[in-house]
Coordinates of all heavy atoms in Angstrom, one line a residue:
M1420 N -43.9 13.3 26.8 CA -43.1 14.3 27.4 C -41.8 14.4 26.6 O -41.3 15.5 26.4 CB -42.9 13.9 28.9 CG -42.2 15.0 29.6 SD -43.4 16.3 29.9 CE -42.9 16.8 31.5
I1421 N -41.2 13.3 26.2 CA -39.9 13.3 25.5 C -40.1 14.0 24.2 O -39.2 14.7 23.7 CB -39.4 11.8 25.3 CG1 -39.0 11.3 26.7 CG2 -38.2 11.8 24.4 CD1 -38.7 9.8 26.7
Y1422 N -41.3 13.8 23.5 CA -41.5 14.4 22.2 C -41.4 15.9 22.3 O -40.8 16.5 21.5 CB -42.9 14.0 21.7 CG -43.4 14.7 20.5 CD1 -42.8 14.4 19.3 CD2 -44.3 15.8 20.6 CE1 -43.2 15.1 18.1 CE2 -44.7 16.5 19.4 CZ -44.1 16.1 18.2 OH -44.5 16.8 17.1
F1423 N -42.0 16.5 23.4 CA -42.0 17.9 23.5 C -40.5 18.4 23.8 O -40.1 19.5 23.3 CB -42.9 18.4 24.7 CG -44.3 18.2 24.3 CD1 -45.1 17.3 25.0 CD2 -44.9 18.9 23.3 CE1 -46.4 17.1 24.7 CE2 -46.3 18.7 23.0 CZ -47.0 17.8 23.7
A1424 N -39.8 17.7 24.5 CA -38.4 18.0 24.8 C -37.6 18.0 23.5 O -36.8 18.9 23.2 CB -37.7 17.1 25.8
L1425 N -37.8 17.0 22.7 CA -37.1 16.9 21.4 C -37.5 18.1 20.5 O -36.7 18.7 19.8 CB -37.3 15.6 20.7 CG -36.7 14.4 21.4 CD1 -37.1 13.1 20.7 CD2 -35.2 14.5 21.3
K1426 N -38.8 18.4 20.5 CA -39.3 19.4 19.6 C -38.7 20.8 20.1 O -38.3 21.6 19.2 CB -40.8 19.5 19.7 CG -41.5 20.4 18.7 CD -43.0 20.2 18.8 CE -43.6 21.1 17.7 NZ -45.1 21.0 17.7
N1427 N -38.6 21.0 21.4 CA -38.0 22.2 21.9 C -36.5 22.3 21.5 O -36.0 23.4 21.2 CB -38.2 22.4 23.4 CG -39.6 22.7 23.7 OD1 -40.4 23.2 22.9 ND2 -40.0 22.4 25.0
R1428 N -35.8 21.2 21.6 CA -34.4 21.2 21.2 C -34.2 21.6 19.7 O -33.3 22.3 19.4 CB -33.8 19.8 21.4 CG -33.5 19.6 22.9 CD -32.7 18.3 23.0 NE -32.8 17.8 24.3 CZ -32.6 16.5 24.7 NH1 -32.2 15.6 23.8 NH2 -32.7 16.1 25.9
R1429 N -35.1 21.0 18.9 CA -35.0 21.4 17.5 C -35.3 22.9 17.2 O -34.6 23.5 16.4 CB -36.0 20.5 16.7 CG -35.6 19.1 16.5 CD -36.6 18.3 15.6 NE -36.4 16.9 15.8 CZ -37.3 16.0 16.2 NH1 -38.5 16.4 16.4 NH2 -37.0 14.8 16.3
L1430 N -36.3 23.4 17.9 CA -36.6 24.8 17.8 C -35.4 25.7 18.3 O -35.0 26.6 17.6 CB -37.8 25.1 18.6 CG -38.3 26.6 18.6 CD1 -38.6 27.0 17.2 CD2 -39.4 26.8 19.6
I1431 N -34.8 25.3 19.4 CA -33.7 26.1 19.9 C -32.5 26.0 18.9 O -31.8 27.0 18.7 CB -33.2 25.6 21.3 CG1 -34.3 25.9 22.3 CG2 -31.9 26.1 21.7 CD1 -34.2 25.3 23.7
R1432 N -32.3 24.8 18.3 CA -31.2 24.7 17.3 C -31.5 25.6 16.1 O -30.6 26.2 15.6 CB -31.1 23.2 16.9 CG -29.7 22.6 17.2 CD -29.6 21.2 16.7 NE -30.0 20.3 17.7 CZ -30.9 19.3 17.5 NH1 -31.4 19.1 16.4 NH2 -31.2 18.6 18.5
K1433 N -32.7 25.6 15.7 CA -33.1 26.4 14.5 C -32.9 27.9 14.8 O -32.4 28.7 14.0 CB -34.5 26.1 14.0 CG -34.6 24.8 13.3 CD -36.0 24.7 12.7 CE -36.1 23.5 11.8 NZ -37.4 23.4 11.2
L1434 N -33.3 28.3 16.0 CA -33.2 29.7 16.4 C -31.7 30.1 16.5 O -31.3 31.2 16.1 CB -33.9 30.0 17.8 CG -35.4 30.0 17.7 CD1 -36.0 30.1 19.1 CD2 -35.9 31.1 16.8
A1435 N -30.9 29.2 17.0 CA -29.4 29.4 17.1 C -28.8 29.6 15.7 O -28.0 30.4 15.4 CB -28.7 28.3 17.9
Q1436 N -29.3 28.7 14.8 CA -28.9 28.8 13.4 C -29.3 30.2 12.8 O -28.4 30.8 12.1 CB -29.5 27.7 12.6 CG -29.2 27.8 11.1 CD -30.0 26.8 10.3 OE1 -30.8 26.1 10.8 NE2 -29.7 26.8 9.0
A1437 N -30.5 30.6 13.1 CA -30.9 31.9 12.6 C -30.1 33.1 13.1 O -29.7 34.0 12.4 CB -32.4 32.1 12.9
M1438 N -29.7 33.0 14.4 CA -28.9 34.0 15.0 C -27.5 34.1 14.4 O -27.0 35.2 14.2 CB -28.8 33.8 16.5 CG -30.1 33.8 17.3 SD -31.0 35.3 17.1 CE -30.1 36.4 18.1
R1439 N -27.0 32.9 14.0 CA -25.7 32.9 13.4 C -25.7 33.5 12.0 O -24.7 34.1 11.5 CB -25.1 31.5 13.3 CG -24.6 30.9 14.6 CD -23.9 29.6 14.4 NE -24.7 28.6 13.7 CZ -25.4 27.7 14.4 NH1 -25.5 27.7 15.7 NH2 -26.1 26.8 13.7
L1440 N -26.9 33.5 11.3 CA -27.0 34.0 10.0 C -27.2 35.6 10.0 O -27.0 36.2 9.0 CB -28.3 33.4 9.3 CG -28.1 31.9 8.9 CD1 -29.5 31.4 8.4 CD2 -27.0 31.7 7.9
M1441 N -27.5 36.1 11.1 CA -27.7 37.6 11.2 C -26.4 38.3 11.2 O -25.4 37.7 11.7 CB -28.5 38.0 12.5 CG -29.9 37.6 12.5 SD -30.6 38.2 14.1 CE -32.1 37.2 14.1
A1442 N -26.4 39.5 10.7 CA -25.2 40.4 10.8 C -24.9 40.7 12.3 O -25.9 40.7 13.1 CB -25.4 41.7 10.0
P1443 N -23.7 40.9 12.7 CA -23.4 41.1 14.2 C -24.2 42.2 14.8 O -24.7 42.1 15.9 CB -21.9 41.4 14.2 CG -21.4 40.7 13.0 CD -22.5 40.8 11.9
R1444 N -24.3 43.4 14.1 CA -25.0 44.5 14.7 C -26.5 44.2 14.8 O -27.2 44.5 15.8 CB -24.8 45.8 13.9 CG -25.5 47.0 14.6 CD -25.2 48.3 13.9 NE -26.0 48.3 12.7 CZ -26.1 49.4 11.9 NH1 -25.3 50.4 12.1 NH2 -26.8 49.4 10.8
D1445 N -27.1 43.5 13.7 CA -28.5 43.2 13.7 C -28.8 42.2 14.9 O -29.8 42.3 15.5 CB -28.9 42.5 12.4 CG -28.9 43.5 11.2 OD1 -28.7 44.7 11.5 OD2 -29.1 43.1 10.1
R1446 N -27.8 41.3 15.1 CA -28.0 40.3 16.2 C -28.0 41.0 17.5 O -28.9 40.7 18.4 CB -26.9 39.3 16.2 CG -27.0 38.2 17.2 CD -25.8 37.2 17.2 NE -25.4 36.9 15.8 CZ -24.1 37.1 15.4 NH1 -23.2 37.6 16.2 NH2 -23.7 36.8 14.2
K1447 N -27.1 42.0 17.7 CA -27.1 42.7 19.0 C -28.4 43.5 19.2 O -28.9 43.5 20.3 CB -25.9 43.6 19.0 CG -24.6 42.9 19.2 CD -23.4 43.9 19.2 CE -22.1 43.2 19.2 NZ -21.0 44.1 19.1
I1448 N -28.8 44.1 18.2 CA -30.1 44.9 18.2 C -31.3 44.0 18.5 O -32.1 44.2 19.4 CB -30.3 45.7 17.0 CG1 -29.2 46.8 16.9 CG2 -31.7 46.3 16.9 CD1 -29.2 47.6 15.6
F1449 N -31.3 42.9 17.8 CA -32.4 41.9 18.0 C -32.4 41.4 19.4 O -33.5 41.3 20.0 CB -32.2 40.7 17.0 CG -33.4 39.8 16.9 CD1 -34.4 40.1 16.1 CD2 -33.4 38.6 17.7 CE1 -35.5 39.2 16.0 CE2 -34.5 37.8 17.6 CZ -35.5 38.1 16.8
L1450 N -31.3 40.9 19.9 CA -31.2 40.4 21.3 C -31.5 41.5 22.3 O -32.2 41.3 23.3 CB -29.9 39.8 21.6 CG -29.6 38.5 20.8 CD1 -28.2 38.0 21.1 CD2 -30.6 37.4 21.3
G1451 N -31.0 42.7 22.0 CA -31.3 43.8 22.9 C -32.8 44.1 23.1 O -33.3 44.4 24.1
H1452 N -33.5 44.0 22.0 CA -34.9 44.3 22.0 C -35.7 43.2 22.6 O -36.6 43.4 23.4 CB -35.4 44.7 20.6 CG -36.9 45.0 20.6 ND1 -37.4 46.2 21.1 CD2 -37.9 44.4 20.1 CE1 -38.7 46.2 21.0 NE2 -39.1 45.2 20.3
F1453 N -35.5 42.0 22.1 CA -36.4 40.9 22.5 C -35.9 40.1 23.7 O -36.8 39.5 24.4 CB -36.5 39.8 21.3 CG -37.3 40.4 20.2 CD1 -36.8 40.8 19.0 CD2 -38.7 40.5 20.3 CE1 -37.6 41.3 18.0 CE2 -39.5 40.9 19.3 CZ -38.9 41.4 18.1
V1454 N -34.7 40.2 24.1 CA -34.2 39.5 25.3 C -34.1 40.5 26.5 O -34.6 40.3 27.6 CB -32.9 38.8 25.1 CG1 -32.4 38.1 26.3 CG2 -33.1 37.7 24.0
E1455 N -33.4 41.6 26.2 CA -33.1 42.6 27.3 C -34.3 43.6 27.4 O -34.3 44.5 28.2 CB -31.8 43.3 27.0 CG -30.6 42.3 27.1 CD -29.3 42.9 26.6 OE1 -29.3 44.2 26.5 OE2 -28.4 42.2 26.4
E1456 N -35.2 43.5 26.4 CA -36.4 44.4 26.4 C -36.0 45.9 26.4 O -36.7 46.7 27.0 CB -37.3 44.1 27.6 CG -37.8 42.7 27.6 CD -38.7 42.4 28.7 OE1 -38.9 43.2 29.6 OE2 -39.3 41.2 28.7
A1457 N -35.0 46.2 25.6 CA -34.6 47.6 25.4 C -35.6 48.3 24.4 O -36.1 47.6 23.5 CB -33.2 47.7 24.9
T1458 N -35.8 49.6 24.5 CA -36.7 50.3 23.6 C -35.9 50.6 22.3 O -34.7 50.6 22.3 CB -37.3 51.6 24.2 OG1 -36.2 52.4 24.5 CG2 -38.0 51.3 25.5
F1459 N -36.6 51.0 21.3 CA -36.0 51.5 20.1 C -35.1 52.6 20.3 O -34.0 52.7 19.8 CB -37.0 51.8 19.0 CG -37.8 50.7 18.4 CD1 -37.7 49.4 19.0 CD2 -38.5 50.8 17.2 CE1 -38.4 48.4 18.4 CE2 -39.1 49.8 16.7 CZ -39.1 48.5 17.2
I1460 N -35.5 53.6 21.1 CA -34.7 54.8 21.4 C -33.4 54.4 22.2 O -32.3 54.9 21.8 CB -35.5 55.8 22.3 CG1 -36.7 56.3 21.5 CG2 -34.7 56.9 22.8 CD1 -37.7 57.1 22.3
E1461 N -33.5 53.5 23.1 CA -32.3 53.0 23.8 C -31.3 52.3 22.9 O -30.1 52.6 23.0 CB -32.7 52.1 25.0 CG -33.5 52.7 26.1 CD -34.0 51.7 27.1 OE1 -34.1 50.5 26.7 OE2 -34.4 52.1 28.2
L1462 N -31.9 51.5 22.0 CA -31.0 50.8 21.1 C -30.4 51.8 20.1 O -29.2 51.6 19.7 CB -31.8 49.7 20.3 CG -32.2 48.5 21.2 CD1 -33.3 47.7 20.4 CD2 -31.1 47.7 21.6
A1463 N -31.1 52.7 19.7 CA -30.6 53.7 18.7 C -29.4 54.5 19.4 O -28.4 54.7 18.7 CB -31.7 54.7 18.3
H1464 N -29.6 54.9 20.6 CA -28.5 55.6 21.3 C -27.3 54.7 21.6 O -26.2 55.1 21.4 CB -29.0 56.2 22.7 CG -29.9 57.4 22.5 ND1 -29.4 58.6 22.1 CD2 -31.2 57.5 22.7 CE1 -30.4 59.4 22.0 NE2 -31.6 58.8 22.4
L1465 N -27.6 53.4 22.0 CA -26.5 52.5 22.3 C -25.6 52.2 21.0 O -24.4 52.1 21.1 CB -27.1 51.2 22.8 CG -26.1 50.1 23.2 CD1 -25.3 50.5 24.4 CD2 -26.9 48.8 23.5
H1466 N -26.3 52.1 19.9 CA -25.5 51.8 18.6 C -25.2 53.0 17.8 O -24.7 52.8 16.7 CB -26.3 50.7 17.8 CG -26.4 49.4 18.6 ND1 -25.4 48.5 18.6 CD2 -27.5 48.9 19.3 CE1 -25.8 47.5 19.3 NE2 -27.0 47.7 19.8
S1467 N -25.6 54.2 18.2 CA -25.4 55.4 17.5 C -26.0 55.4 16.1 O -25.3 55.7 15.1 CB -23.9 55.7 17.4 OG -23.3 55.8 18.7
I1468 N -27.2 54.9 16.0 CA -27.9 54.9 14.7 C -29.3 55.5 15.0 O -29.7 55.8 16.1 CB -28.1 53.4 14.2 CG1 -28.8 52.5 15.2 CG2 -26.7 52.9 13.8 CD1 -29.0 51.1 14.7
S1469 N -30.0 55.7 13.9 CA -31.4 56.3 14.0 C -32.4 55.2 14.3 O -32.1 54.0 14.1 CB -31.7 57.0 12.7 OG -31.9 56.0 11.6
I1470 N -33.6 55.6 14.7 CA -34.6 54.7 15.0 C -35.1 53.9 13.8 O -35.3 52.7 13.9 CB -35.8 55.4 15.7 CG1 -35.4 55.9 17.1 CG2 -37.0 54.5 15.9 CD1 -36.3 56.8 17.8
P1471 N -35.2 54.5 12.6 CA -35.6 53.7 11.4 C -34.5 52.6 11.1 O -34.9 51.5 10.6 CB -35.6 54.7 10.3 CG -36.0 56.0 11.0 CD -35.3 55.9 12.3
E1472 N -33.3 52.9 11.4 CA -32.2 51.8 11.3 C -32.4 50.7 12.3 O -32.2 49.5 11.9 CB -30.8 52.4 11.4 CG -30.4 53.3 10.2 CD -29.1 53.9 10.4 OE1 -28.9 54.8 11.2 OE2 -28.1 53.5 9.7
V1473 N -32.8 51.0 13.5 CA -33.2 50.0 14.5 C -34.3 49.1 14.0 O -34.3 47.9 14.0 CB -33.5 50.6 15.8 CG1 -34.0 49.5 16.8 CG2 -32.3 51.3 16.4
E1474 N -35.4 49.8 13.5 CA -36.5 49.1 12.9 C -36.1 48.2 11.8 O -36.6 47.0 11.7 CB -37.6 50.1 12.5 CG -38.2 50.8 13.6 CD -39.1 52.0 13.1 OE1 -39.1 52.3 11.9 OE2 -39.9 52.5 13.9
A1475 N -35.2 48.7 10.9 CA -34.8 47.9 9.7 C -34.0 46.7 10.2 O -34.1 45.5 9.7 CB -34.0 48.7 8.8
A1476 N -33.1 46.8 11.2 CA -32.4 45.7 11.7 C -33.3 44.6 12.4 O -33.1 43.4 12.1 CB -31.4 46.2 12.8
L1477 N -34.3 45.1 13.1 CA -35.2 44.1 13.7 C -36.0 43.4 12.6 O -36.3 42.2 12.7 CB -36.2 44.8 14.6 CG -35.6 45.3 15.9 CD1 -36.5 46.1 16.7 CD2 -35.1 44.1 16.8
R1478 N -36.4 44.1 11.5 CA -37.1 43.5 10.4 C -36.3 42.4 9.7 O -36.7 41.3 9.4 CB -37.6 44.6 9.4 CG -38.5 44.0 8.3 CD -38.8 45.0 7.2 NE -37.7 45.3 6.5 CZ -37.0 46.5 6.5 NH1 -37.5 47.5 7.2 NH2 -36.0 46.7 5.7
R1479 N -35.0 42.8 9.5 CA -34.1 41.8 8.9 C -33.9 40.6 9.8 O -33.9 39.4 9.3 CB -32.7 42.4 8.6 CG -32.7 43.4 7.4 CD -31.3 43.8 7.1 NE -30.6 44.5 8.2 CZ -30.6 45.8 8.3 NH1 -31.2 46.6 7.5 NH2 -29.9 46.3 9.3
G1480 N -33.8 40.8 11.1 CA -33.7 39.6 12.0 C -34.9 38.8 12.0 O -34.8 37.5 11.9
L1481 N -36.1 39.4 12.0 CA -37.4 38.6 11.9 C -37.5 37.9 10.6 O -38.0 36.7 10.6 CB -38.6 39.5 12.2 CG -38.7 40.1 13.6 CD1 -39.8 41.1 13.7 CD2 -39.0 38.9 14.6
E1482 N -37.1 38.5 9.5 CA -37.2 37.8 8.2 C -36.3 36.6 8.2 O -36.7 35.5 7.7 CB -36.8 38.7 7.1 CG -37.8 39.8 6.8 CD -37.4 40.8 5.8 OE1 -36.2 40.8 5.4 OE2 -38.2 41.7 5.4
I1483 N -35.1 36.7 8.8 CA -34.2 35.5 8.8 C -34.8 34.4 9.7 O -34.8 33.2 9.3 CB -32.8 36.0 9.4 CG1 -32.1 36.8 8.3 CG2 -31.9 34.7 9.7 CD1 -30.8 37.4 8.8
I1484 N -35.3 34.8 10.8 CA -35.9 33.7 11.7 C -37.1 33.1 11.0 O -37.3 31.9 11.0 CB -36.3 34.3 13.0 CG1 -35.1 34.6 13.8 CG2 -37.3 33.4 13.8 CD1 -35.3 35.2 15.2
A1485 N -37.9 33.9 10.3 CA -39.1 33.3 9.6 C -38.6 32.4 8.5 O -39.2 31.3 8.3 CB -39.9 34.5 9.0
D1486 N -37.5 32.7 7.8 CA -37.0 31.9 6.7 C -36.5 30.6 7.3 O -36.6 29.5 6.6 CB -35.9 32.6 5.9 CG -36.4 33.7 5.0 OD1 -37.7 33.7 4.8 OD2 -35.7 34.5 4.6
V1487 N -35.8 30.6 8.4 CA -35.2 29.4 9.0 C -36.3 28.5 9.6 O -36.3 27.3 9.4 CB -34.2 29.8 10.1 CG1 -33.8 28.5 10.9 CG2 -33.0 30.4 9.5
L1488 N -37.3 29.1 10.2 CA -38.4 28.3 10.8 C -39.4 27.8 9.8 O -39.9 26.7 10.0 CB -39.1 29.1 11.9 CG -38.3 29.5 13.2 CD1 -39.1 30.3 14.1 CD2 -37.7 28.2 13.8
E1489 N -39.7 28.6 8.8 CA -40.7 28.2 7.8 C -40.2 28.4 6.4 O -40.6 29.3 5.7 CB -42.0 29.1 8.0 CG -42.7 28.9 9.3 CD -43.6 27.6 9.3 OE1 -44.0 27.2 8.2 OE2 -43.8 27.1 10.4
P1490 N -39.3 27.5 6.0 CA -38.7 27.7 4.6 C -39.8 27.5 3.6 O -40.8 26.8 3.9 CB -37.7 26.6 4.5 CG -38.0 25.6 5.6 CD -38.7 26.4 6.7
E1491 N -39.6 28.1 2.5 CA -40.6 27.9 1.4 C -40.6 26.5 0.9 O -39.6 25.9 0.8 CB -40.3 28.8 0.2 CG -40.5 30.3 0.4 CD -40.2 31.1 -0.8 OE1 -40.4 30.6 -1.9 OE2 -39.9 32.3 -0.7
P1492 N -41.8 25.9 0.7 CA -41.9 24.6 0.3 C -41.3 24.4 -1.1 O -41.5 25.4 -1.9 CB -43.4 24.2 0.3 CG -44.1 25.5 0.3 CD -43.1 26.5 0.9
P1493 N -40.7 23.3 -1.5 CA -40.2 23.2 -2.8 C -41.3 23.2 -3.8 O -42.4 22.6 -3.6 CB -39.5 21.8 -2.8 CG -40.0 21.1 -1.6 CD -40.5 22.2 -0.6
R1494 N -41.1 23.8 -5.0 CA -42.1 23.8 -6.0 C -42.2 22.4 -6.7 O -41.1 21.8 -6.9 CB -41.7 24.8 -7.1 CG -41.8 26.2 -6.5 CD -41.6 27.2 -7.6 NE -41.7 28.5 -7.0 CZ -41.7 29.6 -7.7 NH1 -41.7 29.6 -9.1 NH2 -41.8 30.8 -7.2
R1495 N -43.4 22.0 -6.9 CA -43.6 20.7 -7.5 C -43.5 20.8 -9.0 O -44.1 21.8 -9.6 CB -44.9 20.1 -7.1 CG -45.0 19.8 -5.6 CD -46.3 19.1 -5.3 NE -46.3 18.8 -3.9 CZ -47.2 18.0 -3.4 NH1 -48.1 17.5 -4.1 NH2 -47.1 17.8 -2.1
R1496 N -42.9 19.9 -9.7 CA -42.8 19.9 -11.1 C -44.1 19.2 -11.6 O -44.5 18.1 -11.1 CB -41.6 19.2 -11.6 CG -40.3 20.0 -11.1 CD -39.1 19.3 -11.6 NE -39.0 19.6 -13.0 CZ -38.0 19.1 -13.8 NH1 -37.2 18.2 -13.3 NH2 -37.9 19.4 -15.1
R1497 N -44.6 19.7 -12.7 CA -45.7 19.0 -13.3 C -45.2 18.1 -14.4 O -44.4 18.6 -15.2 CB -46.7 20.1 -13.9 CG -47.6 20.6 -12.9 CD -48.8 21.2 -13.6 NE -48.8 22.7 -13.3 CZ -49.6 23.5 -13.9 NH1 -50.4 23.1 -14.8 NH2 -49.6 24.8 -13.6
F1498 N -45.7 16.9 -14.4 CA -45.3 16.0 -15.4 C -46.3 15.8 -16.5 O -46.3 15.0 -17.4 CB -44.9 14.6 -14.8 CG -43.7 14.7 -13.9 CD1 -43.9 14.7 -12.6 CD2 -42.5 14.8 -14.5 CE1 -42.7 14.8 -11.7 CE2 -41.3 14.9 -13.7 CZ -41.5 14.9 -12.3
W1499 N -47.4 16.7 -16.4 CA -48.4 16.6 -17.4 C -48.7 18.0 -17.9 O -48.4 19.0 -17.3 CB -49.7 15.9 -16.8 CG -50.3 16.8 -15.7 CD1 -51.2 17.7 -15.8 CD2 -49.9 16.7 -14.3 NE1 -51.5 18.3 -14.6 CE2 -50.7 17.7 -13.6 CE3 -49.1 16.0 -13.5 CZ2 -50.6 18.0 -12.3 CZ3 -49.0 16.2 -12.2 CH2 -49.8 17.2 -11.6
R1500 N -49.4 18.0 -19.0 CA -49.8 19.3 -19.6 C -51.3 19.4 -19.6 O -52.0 18.4 -19.8 CB -49.2 19.4 -21.0 CG -47.7 19.5 -21.0 CD -47.3 19.8 -22.4 NE -45.8 19.8 -22.5 CZ -45.2 20.1 -23.5 NH1 -45.8 20.4 -24.7 NH2 -43.9 20.1 -23.5
R1501 N -51.7 20.6 -19.6 CA -53.2 20.8 -19.7 C -53.5 21.4 -21.1 O -52.8 22.1 -21.7 CB -53.7 21.8 -18.6 CG -53.7 21.1 -17.3 CD -54.4 21.9 -16.3 NE -54.5 21.1 -15.1 CZ -55.2 21.5 -14.1 NH1 -55.8 22.6 -14.1 NH2 -55.3 20.8 -13.0

C-alpha cells in the first residue's frame, strides 16, 4: 500500500513540474480543458483565440507532460567497432 502512495506522490510531483514548464496561457488552456472540461470553442472564446490555437496549446502541453513523464533514454556509447 505504501508503495502505491509513494508512486502516486512521484507522479503528482512530475505533473506539477510539467505544469510549471508550460507557458501561462497554455497552462490555463490545458487545465481548462482537462480539469474543468471546457470545450475547444469555450476556451477559444475565453482566451480570444482561434480553435486551432487552442489545439496547438493543448498539443504543446501534452508534449511537455510526455517529455517529463517519459524522457528519452540516454544514448549508449559503443566502445567497439564493427
